[in-house]
Amino acid sequence: MSIQIIKPLHVAVLVSDLDKATYFYETVLGLQQCDRPLKYPGVWFELGEYQLHVLQDDTTPTGIHNSEKLGRNRHIALGVADIQQTTDHLVANGCFVQGSASGRPAVFTHDPDGNIVELTQI
């Protein structure tokens, strides 16, 4: 069994100066800001059919726990068809998983390089 990835959802990047990064992505690159239904810190930009989430990198590394709101590692979000099946598959393969702090149907894990992989049921 393998996880069925439906589509990428968003990409997150961490920056040392959110104002300068916002200026760069919005004014220099011409990306448009967008709203998210759940309010997360940082700034979101439209990126084709995906979104770019720009976060201020001002936290102490604490693993997956803080990644959802104030993450430090690179972060990618992927849509999956069945979150429970996905969670079971990850656990069976020895992956550490953590549920979403907001209670939405999502789990977080790390890839081998320490990047955070968010798997959200869509």
mmCIF file of all heavy atoms in Angstrom, residues 14-66:
data_model
loop_
_atom_site.group_PDB
_atom_site.id
_atom_site.type_symbol
_atom_site.label_atom_id
_atom_site.label_comp_id
_atom_site.label_asym_id
_atom_site.label_seq_id
_atom_site.Cartn_x
_atom_site.Cartn_y
_atom_site.Cartn_z
ATOM 1 N N LEU A 14 10.872 30.220 5.077
ATOM 2 C CA LEU A 14 11.171 31.004 6.267
ATOM 3 C C LEU A 14 12.124 32.124 5.914
ATOM 4 O O LEU A 14 13.070 31.921 5.162
ATOM 5 C CB LEU A 14 11.777 30.096 7.333
ATOM 6 C CG LEU A 14 10.803 29.019 7.787
ATOM 7 C CD1 LEU A 14 11.536 27.869 8.411
ATOM 8 C CD2 LEU A 14 9.796 29.603 8.732
ATOM 9 N N VAL A 15 11.866 33.289 6.451
ATOM 10 C CA VAL A 15 12.671 34.462 6.123
ATOM 11 C C VAL A 15 13.078 35.174 7.415
ATOM 12 O O VAL A 15 12.411 35.057 8.444
ATOM 13 C CB VAL A 15 11.885 35.423 5.205
ATOM 14 C CG1 VAL A 15 11.545 34.760 3.881
ATOM 15 C CG2 VAL A 15 10.616 35.927 5.871
ATOM 16 N N SER A 16 14.178 35.920 7.333
ATOM 17 C CA SER A 16 14.639 36.644 8.513
ATOM 18 C C SER A 16 13.939 37.989 8.684
ATOM 19 O O SER A 16 13.880 38.522 9.780
ATOM 20 C CB SER A 16 16.153 36.849 8.456
ATOM 21 O OG SER A 16 16.491 37.583 7.297
ATOM 22 N N ASP A 17 13.393 38.537 7.602
ATOM 23 C CA ASP A 17 12.696 39.821 7.666
ATOM 24 C C ASP A 17 11.423 39.722 6.833
ATOM 25 O O ASP A 17 11.465 39.787 5.600
ATOM 26 C CB ASP A 17 13.605 40.934 7.154
ATOM 27 C CG ASP A 17 13.008 42.323 7.334
ATOM 28 O OD1 ASP A 17 11.779 42.482 7.162
ATOM 29 O OD2 ASP A 17 13.786 43.243 7.641
ATOM 30 N N LEU A 18 10.295 39.561 7.510
ATOM 31 C CA LEU A 18 9.024 39.349 6.813
ATOM 32 C C LEU A 18 8.631 40.552 5.950
ATOM 33 O O LEU A 18 8.104 40.373 4.853
ATOM 34 C CB LEU A 18 7.918 39.023 7.823
ATOM 35 C CG LEU A 18 6.572 38.615 7.247
ATOM 36 C CD1 LEU A 18 6.698 37.381 6.360
ATOM 37 C CD2 LEU A 18 5.579 38.370 8.360
ATOM 38 N N ASP A 19 8.903 41.764 6.418
ATOM 39 C CA ASP A 19 8.547 42.951 5.634
ATOM 40 C C ASP A 19 9.329 43.000 4.318
ATOM 41 O O ASP A 19 8.765 43.266 3.253
ATOM 42 C CB ASP A 19 8.794 44.228 6.438
ATOM 43 C CG ASP A 19 7.822 44.386 7.593
ATOM 44 O OD1 ASP A 19 6.697 43.842 7.510
ATOM 45 O OD2 ASP A 19 8.186 45.048 8.581
ATOM 46 N N LYS A 20 10.633 42.749 4.384
ATOM 47 C CA LYS A 20 11.450 42.748 3.163
ATOM 48 C C LYS A 20 11.026 41.623 2.227
ATOM 49 O O LYS A 20 10.966 41.806 1.012
ATOM 50 C CB LYS A 20 12.929 42.611 3.508
ATOM 51 C CG LYS A 20 13.534 43.863 4.084
ATOM 52 C CD LYS A 20 15.015 43.680 4.364
ATOM 53 C CE LYS A 20 15.614 44.929 4.980
ATOM 54 N NZ LYS A 20 17.039 44.755 5.296
ATOM 55 N N ALA A 21 10.724 40.449 2.801
ATOM 56 C CA ALA A 21 10.295 39.325 1.973
ATOM 57 C C ALA A 21 8.955 39.620 1.310
ATOM 58 O O ALA A 21 8.754 39.326 0.126
ATOM 59 C CB ALA A 21 10.210 38.047 2.807
ATOM 60 N N THR A 22 8.037 40.223 2.067
ATOM 61 C CA THR A 22 6.736 40.589 1.503
ATOM 62 C C THR A 22 6.914 41.563 0.342
ATOM 63 O O THR A 22 6.297 41.414 -0.723
ATOM 64 C CB THR A 22 5.825 41.195 2.587
ATOM 65 O OG1 THR A 22 5.638 40.227 3.624
ATOM 66 C CG2 THR A 22 4.480 41.596 2.019
ATOM 67 N N TYR A 23 7.757 42.552 0.523
ATOM 68 C CA TYR A 23 8.049 43.509 -0.545
ATOM 69 C C TYR A 23 8.606 42.776 -1.769
ATOM 70 O O TYR A 23 8.177 43.019 -2.900
ATOM 71 C CB TYR A 23 9.046 44.567 -0.056
ATOM 72 C CG TYR A 23 9.457 45.530 -1.152
ATOM 73 C CD1 TYR A 23 8.673 46.634 -1.457
ATOM 74 C CD2 TYR A 23 10.616 45.312 -1.885
ATOM 75 C CE1 TYR A 23 9.038 47.507 -2.477
ATOM 76 C CE2 TYR A 23 10.983 46.177 -2.906
ATOM 77 C CZ TYR A 23 10.195 47.269 -3.203
ATOM 78 O OH TYR A 23 10.555 48.122 -4.217
ATOM 79 N N PHE A 24 9.550 41.862 -1.538
ATOM 80 C CA PHE A 24 10.166 41.131 -2.645
ATOM 81 C C PHE A 24 9.132 40.317 -3.419
ATOM 82 O O PHE A 24 9.020 40.432 -4.640
ATOM 83 C CB PHE A 24 11.270 40.214 -2.122
ATOM 84 C CG PHE A 24 11.834 39.313 -3.182
ATOM 85 C CD1 PHE A 24 12.740 39.792 -4.113
ATOM 86 C CD2 PHE A 24 11.449 37.985 -3.255
ATOM 87 C CE1 PHE A 24 13.254 38.962 -5.102
ATOM 88 C CE2 PHE A 24 11.951 37.146 -4.244
ATOM 89 C CZ PHE A 24 12.853 37.640 -5.165
ATOM 90 N N TYR A 25 8.367 39.494 -2.711
ATOM 91 C CA TYR A 25 7.405 38.621 -3.397
ATOM 92 C C TYR A 25 6.270 39.409 -4.043
ATOM 93 O O TYR A 25 5.822 39.070 -5.133
ATOM 94 C CB TYR A 25 6.844 37.563 -2.437
ATOM 95 C CG TYR A 25 7.839 36.477 -2.117
ATOM 96 C CD1 TYR A 25 8.443 36.400 -0.876
ATOM 97 C CD2 TYR A 25 8.196 35.537 -3.076
ATOM 98 C CE1 TYR A 25 9.370 35.415 -0.580
ATOM 99 C CE2 TYR A 25 9.120 34.543 -2.793
ATOM 100 C CZ TYR A 25 9.706 34.492 -1.548
ATOM 101 O OH TYR A 25 10.618 33.510 -1.274
ATOM 102 N N GLU A 26 5.827 40.474 -3.371
ATOM 103 C CA GLU A 26 4.689 41.233 -3.880
ATOM 104 C C GLU A 26 5.096 42.259 -4.937
ATOM 105 O O GLU A 26 4.516 42.314 -6.023
ATOM 106 C CB GLU A 26 3.989 41.927 -2.713
ATOM 107 C CG GLU A 26 2.665 42.542 -3.049
ATOM 108 C CD GLU A 26 1.933 42.966 -1.794
ATOM 109 O OE1 GLU A 26 2.568 43.548 -0.892
ATOM 110 O OE2 GLU A 26 0.721 42.711 -1.731
ATOM 111 N N THR A 27 6.091 43.070 -4.635
ATOM 112 C CA THR A 27 6.452 44.180 -5.519
ATOM 113 C C THR A 27 7.440 43.756 -6.595
ATOM 114 O O THR A 27 7.250 44.073 -7.773
ATOM 115 C CB THR A 27 7.031 45.341 -4.695
ATOM 116 O OG1 THR A 27 6.079 45.693 -3.681
ATOM 117 C CG2 THR A 27 7.309 46.553 -5.564
ATOM 118 N N VAL A 28 8.464 43.038 -6.200
ATOM 119 C CA VAL A 28 9.494 42.658 -7.168
ATOM 120 C C VAL A 28 9.012 41.530 -8.074
ATOM 121 O O VAL A 28 9.136 41.597 -9.295
ATOM 122 C CB VAL A 28 10.806 42.273 -6.446
ATOM 123 C CG1 VAL A 28 11.850 41.805 -7.441
ATOM 124 C CG2 VAL A 28 11.327 43.451 -5.632
ATOM 125 N N LEU A 29 8.456 40.457 -7.479
ATOM 126 C CA LEU A 29 8.003 39.319 -8.283
ATOM 127 C C LEU A 29 6.576 39.465 -8.786
ATOM 128 O O LEU A 29 6.167 38.744 -9.685
ATOM 129 C CB LEU A 29 8.133 38.018 -7.484
ATOM 130 C CG LEU A 29 9.542 37.586 -7.119
ATOM 131 C CD1 LEU A 29 9.503 36.220 -6.445
ATOM 132 C CD2 LEU A 29 10.451 37.547 -8.337
ATOM 133 N N GLY A 30 5.811 40.375 -8.199
ATOM 134 C CA GLY A 30 4.449 40.608 -8.670
ATOM 135 C C GLY A 30 3.425 39.591 -8.220
ATOM 136 O O GLY A 30 2.359 39.489 -8.818
ATOM 137 N N LEU A 31 3.709 38.841 -7.150
ATOM 138 C CA LEU A 31 2.732 37.881 -6.645
ATOM 139 C C LEU A 31 1.645 38.609 -5.875
ATOM 140 O O LEU A 31 1.889 39.650 -5.270
ATOM 141 C CB LEU A 31 3.403 36.853 -5.731
ATOM 142 C CG LEU A 31 4.475 35.971 -6.362
ATOM 143 C CD1 LEU A 31 5.030 34.994 -5.324
ATOM 144 C CD2 LEU A 31 3.932 35.218 -7.570
ATOM 145 N N GLN A 32 0.433 38.066 -5.893
ATOM 146 C CA GLN A 32 -0.681 38.671 -5.173
ATOM 147 C C GLN A 32 -0.882 37.955 -3.849
ATOM 148 O O GLN A 32 -0.867 36.715 -3.791
ATOM 149 C CB GLN A 32 -1.959 38.578 -5.994
ATOM 150 C CG GLN A 32 -1.948 39.462 -7.210
ATOM 151 C CD GLN A 32 -3.302 39.471 -7.887
ATOM 152 O OE1 GLN A 32 -4.108 38.568 -7.735
ATOM 153 N NE2 GLN A 32 -3.547 40.522 -8.660
ATOM 154 N N GLN A 33 -1.100 38.748 -2.795
ATOM 155 C CA GLN A 33 -1.411 38.156 -1.503
ATOM 156 C C GLN A 33 -2.798 37.541 -1.558
ATOM 157 O O GLN A 33 -3.666 37.973 -2.310
ATOM 158 C CB GLN A 33 -1.366 39.201 -0.392
ATOM 159 C CG GLN A 33 0.027 39.641 -0.034
ATOM 160 C CD GLN A 33 0.047 40.446 1.254
ATOM 161 O OE1 GLN A 33 -0.707 40.186 2.181
ATOM 162 N NE2 GLN A 33 0.932 41.431 1.292
ATOM 163 N N CYS A 34 -2.997 36.511 -0.745
ATOM 164 C CA CYS A 34 -4.301 35.879 -0.654
ATOM 165 C C CYS A 34 -4.625 35.604 0.808
ATOM 166 O O CYS A 34 -3.745 35.561 1.654
ATOM 167 C CB CYS A 34 -4.345 34.590 -1.468
ATOM 168 S SG CYS A 34 -3.182 33.313 -0.947
ATOM 169 N N ASP A 35 -5.900 35.455 1.095
ATOM 170 C CA ASP A 35 -6.355 35.137 2.438
ATOM 171 C C ASP A 35 -6.442 33.630 2.588
ATOM 172 O O ASP A 35 -6.640 32.903 1.613
ATOM 173 C CB ASP A 35 -7.738 35.731 2.704
ATOM 174 C CG ASP A 35 -7.697 37.249 2.809
ATOM 175 O OD1 ASP A 35 -6.678 37.765 3.288
ATOM 176 O OD2 ASP A 35 -8.681 37.890 2.401
ATOM 177 N N ARG A 36 -6.303 33.183 3.821
ATOM 178 C CA ARG A 36 -6.478 31.774 4.156
ATOM 179 C C ARG A 36 -7.670 31.666 5.089
ATOM 180 O O ARG A 36 -7.886 32.534 5.924
ATOM 181 C CB ARG A 36 -5.230 31.231 4.857
ATOM 182 C CG ARG A 36 -4.000 31.217 3.978
ATOM 183 C CD ARG A 36 -4.061 30.131 2.968
ATOM 184 N NE ARG A 36 -3.961 28.850 3.663
ATOM 185 C CZ ARG A 36 -3.924 27.687 3.051
ATOM 186 N NH1 ARG A 36 -3.985 27.615 1.756
ATOM 187 N NH2 ARG A 36 -3.853 26.584 3.733
ATOM 188 N N PRO A 37 -8.458 30.598 4.981
ATOM 189 C CA PRO A 37 -9.620 30.469 5.863
ATOM 190 C C PRO A 37 -9.230 30.366 7.337
ATOM 191 O O PRO A 37 -9.910 30.871 8.199
ATOM 192 C CB PRO A 37 -10.304 29.198 5.388
ATOM 193 C CG PRO A 37 -9.372 28.548 4.446
ATOM 194 C CD PRO A 37 -8.358 29.538 4.018
ATOM 195 N N LEU A 38 -8.121 29.733 7.627
ATOM 196 C CA LEU A 38 -7.599 29.679 8.987
ATOM 197 C C LEU A 38 -6.487 30.707 9.058
ATOM 198 O O LEU A 38 -5.617 30.744 8.194
ATOM 199 C CB LEU A 38 -7.056 28.288 9.315
ATOM 200 C CG LEU A 38 -8.075 27.151 9.248
ATOM 201 C CD1 LEU A 38 -7.373 25.810 9.390
ATOM 202 C CD2 LEU A 38 -9.122 27.319 10.323
ATOM 203 N N LYS A 39 -6.487 31.528 10.056
ATOM 204 C CA LYS A 39 -5.496 32.598 10.149
ATOM 205 C C LYS A 39 -4.190 32.065 10.718
ATOM 206 O O LYS A 39 -4.125 31.648 11.866
ATOM 207 C CB LYS A 39 -6.022 33.747 11.007
ATOM 208 C CG LYS A 39 -7.237 34.419 10.396
ATOM 209 C CD LYS A 39 -6.921 34.994 9.030
ATOM 210 C CE LYS A 39 -8.133 35.608 8.393
ATOM 211 N NZ LYS A 39 -7.956 35.922 7.014
ATOM 212 N N TYR A 40 -3.171 32.052 9.920
ATOM 213 C CA TYR A 40 -1.834 31.647 10.325
ATOM 214 C C TYR A 40 -0.932 32.863 10.251
ATOM 215 O O TYR A 40 -1.174 33.771 9.466
ATOM 216 C CB TYR A 40 -1.285 30.568 9.388
ATOM 217 C CG TYR A 40 -2.048 29.276 9.446
ATOM 218 C CD1 TYR A 40 -2.824 28.872 8.371
ATOM 219 C CD2 TYR A 40 -1.983 28.462 10.565
ATOM 220 C CE1 TYR A 40 -3.519 27.681 8.413
ATOM 221 C CE2 TYR A 40 -2.688 27.280 10.613
ATOM 222 C CZ TYR A 40 -3.452 26.885 9.539
ATOM 223 O OH TYR A 40 -4.139 25.714 9.586
ATOM 224 N N PRO A 41 0.128 32.868 11.039
ATOM 225 C CA PRO A 41 1.065 33.988 10.937
ATOM 226 C C PRO A 41 1.770 33.976 9.592
ATOM 227 O O PRO A 41 1.798 32.959 8.911
ATOM 228 C CB PRO A 41 2.041 33.742 12.082
ATOM 229 C CG PRO A 41 1.900 32.319 12.439
ATOM 230 C CD PRO A 41 0.521 31.898 12.034
ATOM 231 N N GLY A 42 2.322 35.096 9.234
ATOM 232 C CA GLY A 42 3.026 35.186 7.965
ATOM 233 C C GLY A 42 2.131 35.734 6.878
ATOM 234 O O GLY A 42 1.033 36.228 7.127
ATOM 235 N N VAL A 43 2.602 35.633 5.658
ATOM 236 C CA VAL A 43 1.900 36.177 4.503
ATOM 237 C C VAL A 43 1.739 35.067 3.470
ATOM 238 O O VAL A 43 2.666 34.293 3.237
ATOM 239 C CB VAL A 43 2.695 37.368 3.896
ATOM 240 C CG1 VAL A 43 1.974 37.948 2.701
ATOM 241 C CG2 VAL A 43 2.932 38.440 4.956
ATOM 242 N N TRP A 44 0.563 34.999 2.871
ATOM 243 C CA TRP A 44 0.266 34.001 1.841
ATOM 244 C C TRP A 44 0.164 34.693 0.486
ATOM 245 O O TRP A 44 -0.434 35.757 0.366
ATOM 246 C CB TRP A 44 -1.064 33.318 2.149
ATOM 247 C CG TRP A 44 -1.014 32.448 3.354
ATOM 248 C CD1 TRP A 44 -1.169 32.852 4.653
ATOM 249 C CD2 TRP A 44 -0.794 31.059 3.398
ATOM 250 N NE1 TRP A 44 -1.055 31.779 5.491
ATOM 251 C CE2 TRP A 44 -0.833 30.664 4.753
ATOM 252 C CE3 TRP A 44 -0.564 30.090 2.425
ATOM 253 C CZ2 TRP A 44 -0.649 29.342 5.150
ATOM 254 C CZ3 TRP A 44 -0.387 28.770 2.819
ATOM 255 C CH2 TRP A 44 -0.433 28.415 4.167
ATOM 256 N N PHE A 45 0.739 34.040 -0.537
ATOM 257 C CA PHE A 45 0.679 34.548 -1.903
ATOM 258 C C PHE A 45 0.109 33.476 -2.822
ATOM 259 O O PHE A 45 0.341 32.286 -2.623
ATOM 260 C CB PHE A 45 2.082 34.910 -2.413
ATOM 261 C CG PHE A 45 2.713 36.062 -1.705
ATOM 262 C CD1 PHE A 45 3.585 35.847 -0.651
ATOM 263 C CD2 PHE A 45 2.441 37.365 -2.085
ATOM 264 C CE1 PHE A 45 4.180 36.908 0.014
ATOM 265 C CE2 PHE A 45 3.029 38.433 -1.429
ATOM 266 C CZ PHE A 45 3.894 38.204 -0.380
ATOM 267 N N GLU A 46 -0.633 33.933 -3.846
ATOM 268 C CA GLU A 46 -1.090 33.017 -4.890
ATOM 269 C C GLU A 46 0.126 32.578 -5.701
ATOM 270 O O GLU A 46 0.981 33.394 -6.032
ATOM 271 C CB GLU A 46 -2.097 33.711 -5.816
ATOM 272 C CG GLU A 46 -3.414 34.021 -5.166
ATOM 273 C CD GLU A 46 -4.221 32.793 -4.794
ATOM 274 O OE1 GLU A 46 -3.993 31.698 -5.358
ATOM 275 O OE2 GLU A 46 -5.082 32.925 -3.912
ATOM 276 N N LEU A 47 0.184 31.310 -6.011
ATOM 277 C CA LEU A 47 1.298 30.765 -6.779
ATOM 278 C C LEU A 47 0.724 29.732 -7.740
ATOM 279 O O LEU A 47 0.800 28.539 -7.512
ATOM 280 C CB LEU A 47 2.320 30.139 -5.828
ATOM 281 C CG LEU A 47 3.696 29.816 -6.367
ATOM 282 C CD1 LEU A 47 4.393 31.076 -6.869
ATOM 283 C CD2 LEU A 47 4.534 29.143 -5.296
ATOM 284 N N GLY A 48 0.079 30.233 -8.795
ATOM 285 C CA GLY A 48 -0.611 29.318 -9.702
ATOM 286 C C GLY A 48 -1.776 28.677 -8.965
ATOM 287 O O GLY A 48 -2.555 29.354 -8.328
ATOM 288 N N GLU A 49 -1.853 27.353 -9.016
ATOM 289 C CA GLU A 49 -2.922 26.676 -8.288
ATOM 290 C C GLU A 49 -2.527 26.377 -6.837
ATOM 291 O O GLU A 49 -3.294 25.793 -6.091
ATOM 292 C CB GLU A 49 -3.329 25.391 -9.007
ATOM 293 C CG GLU A 49 -2.220 24.358 -9.117
ATOM 294 C CD GLU A 49 -2.657 23.142 -9.895
ATOM 295 O OE1 GLU A 49 -3.311 22.257 -9.305
ATOM 296 O OE2 GLU A 49 -2.345 23.076 -11.090
ATOM 297 N N TYR A 50 -1.363 26.793 -6.434
ATOM 298 C CA TYR A 50 -0.874 26.581 -5.079
ATOM 299 C C TYR A 50 -0.745 27.918 -4.361
ATOM 300 O O TYR A 50 -1.050 28.959 -4.916
ATOM 301 C CB TYR A 50 0.496 25.873 -5.097
ATOM 302 C CG TYR A 50 0.525 24.697 -6.026
ATOM 303 C CD1 TYR A 50 1.310 24.711 -7.169
ATOM 304 C CD2 TYR A 50 -0.260 23.580 -5.776
ATOM 305 C CE1 TYR A 50 1.323 23.627 -8.032
ATOM 306 C CE2 TYR A 50 -0.257 22.500 -6.636
ATOM 307 C CZ TYR A 50 0.541 22.518 -7.763
ATOM 308 O OH TYR A 50 0.551 21.461 -8.620
ATOM 309 N N GLN A 51 -0.271 27.881 -3.118
ATOM 310 C CA GLN A 51 0.023 29.095 -2.383
ATOM 311 C C GLN A 51 1.441 29.027 -1.827
ATOM 312 O O GLN A 51 1.962 27.950 -1.563
ATOM 313 C CB GLN A 51 -0.949 29.299 -1.215
ATOM 314 C CG GLN A 51 -2.331 29.707 -1.649
ATOM 315 C CD GLN A 51 -3.291 28.560 -1.537
ATOM 316 O OE1 GLN A 51 -3.098 27.637 -0.781
ATOM 317 N NE2 GLN A 51 -4.354 28.621 -2.311
ATOM 318 N N LEU A 52 2.023 30.187 -1.641
ATOM 319 C CA LEU A 52 3.325 30.331 -1.014
ATOM 320 C C LEU A 52 3.096 30.960 0.358
ATOM 321 O O LEU A 52 2.494 32.020 0.464
ATOM 322 C CB LEU A 52 4.228 31.236 -1.857
ATOM 323 C CG LEU A 52 5.556 31.648 -1.231
ATOM 324 C CD1 LEU A 52 6.456 30.426 -1.039
ATOM 325 C CD2 LEU A 52 6.241 32.687 -2.094
ATOM 326 N N HIS A 53 3.575 30.306 1.402
ATOM 327 C CA HIS A 53 3.419 30.793 2.776
ATOM 328 C C HIS A 53 4.783 31.279 3.239
ATOM 329 O O HIS A 53 5.722 30.499 3.353
ATOM 330 C CB HIS A 53 2.916 29.658 3.674
ATOM 331 C CG HIS A 53 2.582 30.085 5.056
ATOM 332 N ND1 HIS A 53 2.297 29.175 6.049
ATOM 333 C CD2 HIS A 53 2.483 31.305 5.635
ATOM 334 C CE1 HIS A 53 2.039 29.821 7.171
ATOM 335 N NE2 HIS A 53 2.146 31.111 6.946
ATOM 336 N N VAL A 54 4.896 32.569 3.497
ATOM 337 C CA VAL A 54 6.155 33.168 3.944
ATOM 338 C C VAL A 54 6.037 33.436 5.441
ATOM 339 O O VAL A 54 5.120 34.132 5.886
ATOM 340 C CB VAL A 54 6.455 34.473 3.175
ATOM 341 C CG1 VAL A 54 7.777 35.059 3.611
ATOM 342 C CG2 VAL A 54 6.454 34.212 1.664
ATOM 343 N N LEU A 55 6.971 32.857 6.214
ATOM 344 C CA LEU A 55 6.941 32.947 7.672
ATOM 345 C C LEU A 55 8.189 33.616 8.203
ATOM 346 O O LEU A 55 9.282 33.404 7.681
ATOM 347 C CB LEU A 55 6.900 31.531 8.285
ATOM 348 C CG LEU A 55 5.608 30.759 8.147
ATOM 349 C CD1 LEU A 55 5.878 29.273 8.233
ATOM 350 C CD2 LEU A 55 4.658 31.184 9.228
ATOM 351 N N GLN A 56 8.023 34.380 9.261
ATOM 352 C CA GLN A 56 9.155 34.974 9.960
ATOM 353 C C GLN A 56 9.902 33.871 10.707
ATOM 354 O O GLN A 56 9.308 33.126 11.467
ATOM 355 C CB GLN A 56 8.657 36.024 10.953
ATOM 356 C CG GLN A 56 9.744 36.689 11.759
ATOM 357 C CD GLN A 56 10.490 37.736 10.961
ATOM 358 O OE1 GLN A 56 9.918 38.399 10.118
ATOM 359 N NE2 GLN A 56 11.757 37.872 11.216
ATOM 360 N N ASP A 57 11.198 33.747 10.502
ATOM 361 C CA ASP A 57 12.014 32.722 11.155
ATOM 362 C C ASP A 57 12.583 33.287 12.449
ATOM 363 O O ASP A 57 13.717 33.723 12.512
ATOM 364 C CB ASP A 57 13.143 32.287 10.211
ATOM 365 C CG ASP A 57 13.959 31.135 10.771
ATOM 366 O OD1 ASP A 57 13.532 30.524 11.766
ATOM 367 O OD2 ASP A 57 15.021 30.866 10.205
ATOM 368 N N ASP A 58 11.750 33.299 13.498
ATOM 369 C CA ASP A 58 12.195 33.869 14.766
ATOM 370 C C ASP A 58 11.919 32.943 15.948
ATOM 371 O O ASP A 58 11.758 33.381 17.070
ATOM 372 C CB ASP A 58 11.540 35.225 15.007
ATOM 373 C CG ASP A 58 10.031 35.146 15.030
ATOM 374 O OD1 ASP A 58 9.471 34.035 14.882
ATOM 375 O OD2 ASP A 58 9.388 36.185 15.198
ATOM 376 N N THR A 59 11.858 31.650 15.668
ATOM 377 C CA THR A 59 11.561 30.695 16.727
ATOM 378 C C THR A 59 12.752 29.797 17.005
ATOM 379 O O THR A 59 13.670 29.691 16.205
ATOM 380 C CB THR A 59 10.362 29.813 16.339
ATOM 381 O OG1 THR A 59 10.711 29.065 15.177
ATOM 382 C CG2 THR A 59 9.128 30.649 16.075
ATOM 383 N N THR A 60 12.703 29.152 18.108
ATOM 384 C CA THR A 60 13.693 28.139 18.438
ATOM 385 C C THR A 60 13.243 26.839 17.815
ATOM 386 O O THR A 60 12.066 26.503 17.883
ATOM 387 C CB THR A 60 13.770 27.963 19.970
ATOM 388 O OG1 THR A 60 14.037 29.235 20.530
ATOM 389 C CG2 THR A 60 14.814 26.971 20.360
ATOM 390 N N PRO A 61 14.150 26.076 17.214
ATOM 391 C CA PRO A 61 13.721 24.820 16.609
ATOM 392 C C PRO A 61 13.117 23.887 17.655
ATOM 393 O O PRO A 61 13.741 23.602 18.659
ATOM 394 C CB PRO A 61 15.009 24.226 16.044
ATOM 395 C CG PRO A 61 16.036 25.282 16.116
ATOM 396 C CD PRO A 61 15.575 26.314 17.079
ATOM 397 N N THR A 62 11.893 23.475 17.419
ATOM 398 C CA THR A 62 11.249 22.559 18.346
ATOM 399 C C THR A 62 10.554 21.425 17.606
ATOM 400 O O THR A 62 9.594 20.861 18.087
ATOM 401 C CB THR A 62 10.222 23.292 19.225
ATOM 402 O OG1 THR A 62 9.286 23.938 18.372
ATOM 403 C CG2 THR A 62 10.866 24.299 20.137
ATOM 404 N N GLY A 63 11.003 21.093 16.434
ATOM 405 C CA GLY A 63 10.418 19.968 15.714
ATOM 406 C C GLY A 63 9.092 20.295 15.091
ATOM 407 O O GLY A 63 8.768 21.445 14.803
ATOM 408 N N ILE A 64 8.301 19.280 14.891
ATOM 409 C CA ILE A 64 7.038 19.418 14.186
ATOM 410 C C ILE A 64 6.044 20.263 14.966
ATOM 411 O O ILE A 64 5.259 20.977 14.398
ATOM 412 C CB ILE A 64 6.439 18.028 13.891
ATOM 413 C CG1 ILE A 64 7.334 17.278 12.915
ATOM 414 C CG2 ILE A 64 5.038 18.134 13.323
ATOM 415 C CD1 ILE A 64 6.927 15.849 12.691
ATOM 416 N N HIS A 65 6.098 20.215 16.277
ATOM 417 C CA HIS A 65 5.080 20.872 17.094
ATOM 418 C C HIS A 65 4.833 22.320 16.676
ATOM 419 O O HIS A 65 3.692 22.732 16.520
ATOM 420 C CB HIS A 65 5.460 20.811 18.567
ATOM 421 C CG HIS A 65 4.467 21.500 19.440
ATOM 422 N ND1 HIS A 65 3.208 20.991 19.665
ATOM 423 C CD2 HIS A 65 4.512 22.683 20.088
ATOM 424 C CE1 HIS A 65 2.536 21.813 20.439
ATOM 425 N NE2 HIS A 65 3.300 22.851 20.716
ATOM 426 N N ASN A 66 5.873 23.084 16.481
ATOM 427 C CA ASN A 66 5.688 24.491 16.120
ATOM 428 C C ASN A 66 5.628 24.725 14.621
ATOM 429 O O ASN A 66 5.395 25.834 14.196
ATOM 430 C CB ASN A 66 6.812 25.351 16.706
ATOM 431 C CG ASN A 66 6.588 25.640 18.165
ATOM 432 O OD1 ASN A 66 5.484 25.518 18.661
ATOM 433 N ND2 ASN A 66 7.638 25.992 18.861
#
